[in-house]
Amino acid sequence: MKKILLIYVGILCSALVFGQTNFQKLTLNEACEKAKAEGKMVFVDLYTSWCGPCKVMAADVFPNVQLGEFMNKHFVCVKYDMEKGEGVELAKKFDVHAYPTFVIIRPDGTIQHKLVGGDKLETFIDRVEKGLNEKTSLLYMQQEYEKGKMSNAELLAYKNALSDAASDEKAAKVYKELLQRLTDKEKTEKAYWSIYEDESCVIGSPMFDFLLANLDAIRKNTGEEIVEKFLFYHHAKILQDYIAGYAKEDAAPVEKVKAQIKGFRIKGQESLEKMLALAEPVSQR
């Protein structure tokens, strides 16, 4: 009976290990050689021991069976501590400044895609799939951009990929170029909604003002729930900053925020008005 139980436990443990993302103890060169022999790409997890999001990814995301099946099918997976061993040199090689950073590499060592930041399971798989697909990878889009033949939709995808890789200066340049090319009508369409999700689109910015001026059309095209969540998030965040005393000097004044909130009829309206009642006296003091 004991023997059978031990066999069962062994099988169960093997199944759990097999199901999760299989990070192998290989040097990067060894991983590239193995990927070439197996017809795969290399997935590199660049982390530190003190990084909170890195720990969450290791504990909650990479052990997931669905992700493990996907990753093990397409990649030879390796991970390196950026402050130890080979990781120290790789941090310089891959220009790593934030953790975790994930890099997708071709067997010949060429970097095809780069992702910065932890994520939830569902959206992480989507981000990795884009990097795995040559036509939606950062390397391919960089090459297309240099040819100067990108459509508006392709330019938006490139900007989003740059933001996902934390290439902020390049992303800002492409974003500015895209906004100059888009018509006012295109800016209200669902296909271009992510232009408002750029970190530069904050209360008081030209793009945020455009959003409010064309709110009915954008709501209709993009969907009320998406737009209302966006409005609630931005107004709640700035009010919380005022309440906590963290509002930046260039933040939109409370009076401007108040005028915008009074014109809304969104889910969470009551919560915004309660926060507003707290933020007003703090900002005046």
Side-chain angles (χ1 to χ4, degrees):
M1 184 68 182
K2 263 188 188 177
K3 190 174 181 181
I4 294 173
L5 184 60
L6 287 171
I7 292 172
Y8 174 76
V9 170
I11 293 171
L12 180 61
C13 291
S14 297
L16 288 172
V17 172
F18 181 77
Q20 65 185 10
T21 303
N22 179 25
F23 285 102
Q24 303 177 47
K25 293 183 179 180
L26 302 168
T27 66
L28 185 58
N29 285 338
E30 289 171 343
C32 288
E33 289 173 5
K34 188 170 184 181
K36 184 176 181 180
E38 296 179 3
K40 296 179 179 180
M41 302 280 275
V42 178
F43 178 88
V44 187
D45 176 1
L46 306 169
Y47 71 96
T48 66
S49 60
W50 46 262
C51 162
C54 301
K55 293 177 181 178
V56 172
M57 292 296 292
D60 299 336
V61 178
F62 287 121
N64 181 272
V65 173
Q66 179 189 354
L67 177 63
E69 289 176 351
F70 171 77
M71 298 296 287
N72 298 337
K73 178 181 178 182
H74 297 288
F75 300 103
V76 171
C77 300
V78 287
K79 60 192 304 181
Y80 305 100
D81 187 327
M82 295 291 90
E83 297 177 332
K84 294 180 181 178
E86 187 177 2
V88 177
E89 287 303 315
L90 292 180
K92 298 174 184 176
K93 180 177 181 178
F94 297 134
D95 193 27
V96 180
H97 301 288
Y99 312 102
T101 290
F102 307 104
V103 184
I104 293 174
I105 303 175
R106 294 175 178 175
D108 65 2
T110 303
I111 298 173
Q112 178 160 304
H113 202 71
K114 187 176 181 181
L115 302 168
V116 176
D119 207 346
K120 295 178 181 178
L121 175 66
E122 298 78 12
T123 42
F124 185 68
I125 292 177
D126 181 60
R127 289 168 72 198
V128 174
E129 282 182 327
K130 286 179 180 176
L132 181 62
N133 184 336
E134 184 183 356
K135 294 295 179 69
T136 55
S137 70
L138 186 56
L139 177 62
Y140 177 84
M141 287 190 281
Q142 283 174 341
Q143 293 168 343
E144 290 300 297
Y145 177 75
E146 288 167 6
K147 295 175 184 176
K149 296 181 179 180
M150 277 187 152
S151 66
N152 288 348
E154 290 168 335
L155 201 60
L156 177 60
Y158 180 43
K159 182 268 166 193
N160 289 339
L162 286 168
S163 295
D164 213 14
S167 296
D168 298 332
E169 288 187 14
K170 287 183 180 179
K173 177 187 174 185
V174 174
Y175 183 66
K176 183 178 180 181
E177 183 180 337
L178 175 64
L179 293 183
Q180 290 172 343
R181 286 170 53 169
L182 290 175
T183 64
D184 285 354
K185 183 177 182 301
E186 285 175 319
K187 290 175 184 175
T188 69
E189 294 173 358
K190 185 176 182 178
Y192 296 103
W193 166 251
S194 63
I195 61 174
Y196 302 103
E197 294 176 325
D198 186 81
E199 62 181 16
S200 67
C201 182
V202 294
I203 297 172
S205 68
M207 283 309 300
F208 205 97
D209 289 343
F210 181 89
L211 167 66
L212 295 178
N214 295 272
L215 195 53
D216 289 342
I218 294 172
R219 266 179 169 159
K220 180 181 177 183
N221 295 336
T222 304
E224 283 193 12
E225 185 177 355
I226 293 173
V227 177
E228 288 190 0
K229 278 185 178 179
F230 175 87
L231 293 173
F232 180 85
Y233 168 78
H234 279 272
H235 288 83
K237 184 178 184 302
I238 195 168
L239 289 174
Q240 287 169 350
D241 286 347
Y242 270 110
I243 293 167
Y246 296 145
K248 297 178 181 178
E249 289 185 8
D250 60 349
V254 170
E255 285 303 309
K256 183 180 183 74
V257 178
K258 179 180 179 179
Q260 293 180 3
I261 290 173
K262 293 299 181 184
F264 295 153
R265 286 295 176 267
I266 64 174
K267 290 179 182 178
Q269 181 88 16
E270 187 176 342
S271 296
L272 288 179
E273 290 177 356
K274 286 179 179 178
M275 282 188 277
L276 180 61
L278 293 171
E280 277 189 292
V282 174
S283 68
Q284 289 165 4
R285 185 174 69 236

